[in-house]
Every structure is written in structure tokens, then in C-alpha cells.
Amino acid sequence: ALGGGVASLALFFIAVAGCGLLTTVGVIVAMDTFGPVSDNAQGIAEMSHDIDAAGARILTDLDAVGNTTKAITKGIAIATAVLAATALFGSFTDAWRSTVENMVKDGSLTRGLTLDSSFATEIVAPGTLVGALIGAAVVFLFSGLAINAVTRAAGAIIFEVRRQIREIPGIMEGTAKPEYGKVVDICTRDSLRELATPGLLAALTPIIVGFGMGIGALAGFLAGAITSGCLMAVFLANSGGAWDNAKKIVEDGAHGGKGSPAHAATVIGDTVGDPFKDTAGPAINPLIKVMNLVSVLVAPAIVGLSIGSGANAGIRYGIALLALVIVVAAVVVSKRRDLAISGDDSPAAARVAA
């Protein structure tokens, strides 16, 4: 076993492995930068209408390579995040055990007292298993919220562009200048607004599980989130890049080329793949880190309200219920939020608003 069965030594090795991955930061940054540079180069060349077929093909190939390098670097990023989260998971275990030991030393807890089932961290314990299922589910909910946020912001930009084309003559002919600031404002405003729900989900779900179900369930919650988060992040990064490259293959003439049913299908796939690889996938990294860090911070409070002279089930369940109400309210508001289509009276906008 890693560390010869000594937990502290195993955690040290995990931390060293994380540091070892970080030593490749120069290569990671270079590979990650190549993707946006090649993507922007292709976009600028297409808008300039001053490039021949051979040059366009080279830029398309470079963009496809850039998508692959970005997927690789995102895989390395999730690997470092998992190692860091595993180290924080060890800190969480140490935090609640140290709190129990201190309670025994100061006399608030009887030495040799058997802890109740809420402190059982074995995976076969019902509470731990339920916590693991909740932790895995939170990753999927978080990813769905992030993808929906991108969809709403993109829809708002589409309606704003249509409004400007309709109300400002000459944009399509190049004789009038679009209002770029309003589009940038939509991106900035929606990004900040949509940050609230996923942020609350990451910060409050450990509080809900920990105060509501106990230390054992919280340990299972973190293990489930780390496990499913690692696999989910890699899946999102790879599938998003694959969809993007599939569209480029069809646009190069395969399967009917541009305008064919295959091209329409790959455009839809790329539309789904962009929030996969650029939003939801990378966002899982801070998600698992934040949940582990919050768990480390609240572990002593959970122990203090669960056992010993300061035990108070009412306060503990009250904190969990309050956090649950906040998360549910945030998710409901996020789900019911319509696209920002003010000022667009087109039939398409009316259908979306309905």
C-alpha cells in the first residue's frame, strides 16, 4: 500500500505527486495557449476574406491540433485538482479526529466512549454510502447548471446581435459600426449573475450533508464528489474537443461537406461541446477543491454540535435546513430564469420567452 499503510506518509506522497505535476506548468501553459491562438487565427483569417484554400486548410488543421492540446492540458489540470482534493480529504479526517481528541483531553467527552453511527466512515455504512451518492450527484447538477448558464448567455447575445442588425442599417454592408460594448456587457453581466448558483452549491452542500447527516456522510460525500468529478471533467474535456474536431472534418469535405445533414449535426454537437470543454469541465476542478476546503473548516463545528457537552441537534439540523433552503431557492431561480430578450419582438424571441 502507498506509504506502507501509514496514512500520514501516504498523504505526503500524494502531495509530492501533486507538486511533481505542477513542475510541468511551463509545458502546460504553452500547450493551453496554443489552442486559443490557433482558434483566433482561423477566425481572423475567415473574417478577412483574404486567404486562399491552402492557407485556410493549414489554419483548420492547426485549430484541430489546438483543441487536442487543450483537452490534454485540461486532463492534467483535473489530475492536479484530484491530488490536491485528496490531500484536503486527509486534512478533513485529521481535523475531525483532532477535535474529538481535544474534547477528550478537556473533559467534555468521556475517554473510551464509542462514537455513534454518524461518525462511521466505512463505505458499507449506510450514511457514508448515501453521502457518496449525493456527492456524485452534485457534480452532475453543477455541470448542468454551468451548461445552462452558457446557453442563456449565448441566447441573450444572439438576440442582441439580431436587434442591432435590425435597428442599425449598414452593419452587414460594413458601413455602420456595431455596438460591441453591449455584447461585452451581456457576457460580463451574465457571467457574474450565473456565478451565484454554482458557487452556493459548492459552498453549501458540504454544510448540508455534514450538519444534517454527520461526519461519516460528509466523508462519503467528498469521496463521491472526487471520484465522479475526476471522471466527469475528463469526459467533458475530451467529448467537447472531439465534437469540435468532428465539425472541422465535415467542413473539410467529408460526409457531404458544408450544408449537408452531417454538417448540421456536427454544428449542433459543437454547440454542445463548447460549454462542455470550456465551462463545465474546467469548473469541476475548483468545485471539488472548494467542497473539500469547506468540509475541513466546518468539521470541528460538526463534531462540537454532535457529541460532548456542546451537542445540540436542533442547531445542527437548523444550519443544514437553512443551507438546503438557500441551495434549493438558488437552483429554482436559475432554472426559471428566462433568456435576456428584452427589445426583441421577433416570433423566435416570443417562442423562447414562452
Side-chain angles (χ1 to χ4, degrees):
L2 184 63
V6 181
S8 58
L9 188 57
L11 290 173
F12 172 74
F13 286 153
I14 291 173
V16 171
C19 293
L21 275 176
L22 292 177
T23 58
T24 62
V25 64
V27 177
I28 295 172
V29 171
M31 293 175 65
D32 209 17
T33 305
F34 177 79
V37 170
S38 59
D39 196 354
N40 288 350
Q42 184 193 30
I44 293 171
E46 288 181 353
M47 290 188 293
S48 69
H49 302 290
D50 188 24
I51 186 172
D52 56 21
R57 178 58 186 268
I58 292 173
L59 288 173
T60 300
D61 292 341
L62 289 175
D63 190 17
V65 174
N67 287 329
T68 305
T69 60
K70 284 192 293 183
I72 293 172
T73 55
K74 286 167 185 172
I76 298 174
I78 188 61
T80 59
V82 168
L83 289 174
T86 305
L88 285 172
F89 184 66
S91 299
F92 161 76
T93 304
D94 181 68
W96 76 261
R97 287 179 176 173
S98 298
T99 303
V100 172
E101 293 174 0
N102 292 334
M103 293 177 68
V104 172
K105 291 178 181 178
D106 62 22
S108 59
L109 190 64
T110 304
R111 184 178 297 275
L113 179 67
T114 303
L115 300 177
D116 59 35
S117 59
S118 66
F119 286 84
T121 56
E122 297 82 4
I123 191 61
V124 295
T128 307
L129 183 58
V130 171
L133 294 175
I134 295 174
V138 165
V139 174
F140 287 87
L141 177 59
F142 179 88
S143 301
L145 291 172
I147 294 170
N148 284 340
V150 174
T151 302
R152 282 190 291 268
I157 292 174
I158 290 172
F159 289 123
E160 173 61 23
V161 170
R162 292 177 61 194
R163 182 195 67 80
Q164 292 190 24
I165 293 175
R166 186 174 61 249
E167 298 179 1
I168 306 176
I171 289 181
M172 298 304 293
E173 294 76 17
T175 58
K177 185 177 180 180
E179 297 175 347
Y180 298 110
K182 290 191 175 181
V183 175
V184 175
D185 179 65
I186 290 174
C187 293
T188 306
R189 184 183 66 247
D190 286 12
S191 297
L192 294 175
R193 182 185 63 186
E194 300 290 353
L195 177 69
T197 302
L200 289 172
L201 186 70
L204 295 182
T205 45
I207 294 176
I208 297 171
V209 175
F211 284 95
M213 302 177 64
I215 287 292
L218 184 54
F221 171 85
L222 296 178
I226 293 172
T227 304
S228 65
C230 174
L231 300 176
M232 188 71 168
V234 174
F235 159 72
L236 293 174
N238 290 345
S239 61
W243 271 326
D244 196 346
N245 286 349
K247 186 188 73 169
K248 290 177 173 56
I249 292 173
V250 174
E251 288 178 346
D252 286 340
H255 307 291
K258 290 185 177 181
S260 65
H263 182 241
T266 56
V267 169
I268 295 173
D270 186 33
T271 304
V272 177
D274 280 340
F276 270 34
K277 65 185 176 65
D278 296 328
T279 303
I284 292 177
N285 298 356
L287 169 70
I288 59 178
K289 290 180 183 177
V290 168
M291 290 195 298
N292 276 272
L293 185 58
V294 171
S295 300
V296 172
L297 296 176
V298 302
I302 297 172
V303 174
L305 291 174
S306 301
I307 56 176
S309 58
N312 191 318
I315 295 178
R316 187 160 61 90
Y317 292 137
I319 294 173
L321 181 60
L322 177 61
L324 178 61
V325 169
I326 294 174
V327 170
V328 171
V331 172
V332 170
V333 170
S334 177
K335 291 288 186 181
R336 297 182 62 181
R337 187 177 292 132
D338 289 331
L339 293 174
I341 55 175
S342 59
D344 194 329
D345 299 324
S346 65
R351 288 196 300 270
V352 174

